Amino acid sequence: SGTLVEWLRGELDRTGADATRVHLEVTETALFDVTDRVKETMASVAAIGISWWVDDFGTGFSSISHLRDLPISGVKLDMSFTRALSQANTHATKLARGLAGLAAGLDLATIAEGVETIDQVRVLSGQGWQLGQGGLFGLATPVALAGQ
């Protein structure tokens, strides 16, 4: 059994995929107990050009220091924030704005999950969220159908 890095290199070679187009996601709660070995593995994966993203950002209990200390390239705003967004200054709206500012200050790319309406797009883009994913843009497609 090889390491994650060896496996990823093999898959990149086998498929011809560009490493810079591959993003691996780790949930914020999974970062709660990061060992030195995990940090080394994440750094090795990042060194071959693959980026790490924090999924469900804003819902976990991890320390912000992980954004500083780990090779994180971007964050994905949890859909629970997106669903609660409004033009008003609700707590969800304020937190989403703050998280976008934090990500921008750290030069992290951003995606908002669960985008279903144009109003959500307006609020999110006004806050600085760069990308969105959700039903507004297209429903999830099974892998078997994606290439057809």
Side-chain angles (χ1 to χ4, degrees):
S1 69
T3 67
L4 175 63
V5 177
E6 291 168 347
W7 181 81
L8 287 168
R9 280 190 179 131
E11 289 302 301
L12 290 171
D13 288 343
R14 185 182 67 77
T15 63
D18 178 357
T20 62
R21 296 186 53 110
V22 177
H23 300 186
L24 298 180
E25 296 180 12
V26 58
T27 61
E28 187 176 13
T29 54
L31 294 176
F32 184 68
D33 189 26
V34 176
T35 64
D36 288 339
R37 184 173 179 196
V38 169
K39 287 180 185 178
E40 291 170 12
T41 298
M42 290 180 76
S44 295
V45 168
I48 63 174
I50 294 174
S51 62
W52 287 98
W53 283 67
V54 178
D55 192 23
D56 300 333
F57 189 61
T59 62
F61 302 103
S62 71
S63 169
I64 291 173
S65 66
H66 287 106
L67 298 178
R68 176 195 66 206
D69 298 338
L70 297 173
I72 302 296
S73 297
V75 295
K76 295 176 73 175
L77 181 68
D78 186 72
M79 69 176 61
S80 65
F81 286 97
T82 304
R83 287 185 185 139
L85 284 178
S86 69
Q87 297 292 342
N89 267 342
T90 64
H91 287 300
T93 303
K94 290 176 183 178
L95 282 168
R97 183 182 314 115
L99 294 172
L102 173 66
L106 295 171
D107 294 322
L108 299 174
T110 58
I111 297 176
E113 297 179 311
V115 178
E116 302 293 329
T117 69
I118 293 296
D119 285 338
Q120 289 170 332
V121 170
R122 287 185 185 118
V123 172
L124 291 162
S125 63
Q127 293 180 343
W129 291 94
Q130 298 165 327
L131 301 170
Q133 71 182 70
L136 180 65
F137 307 110
L139 300 176
T141 304
V143 173
L145 300 176
Q148 298 178 3

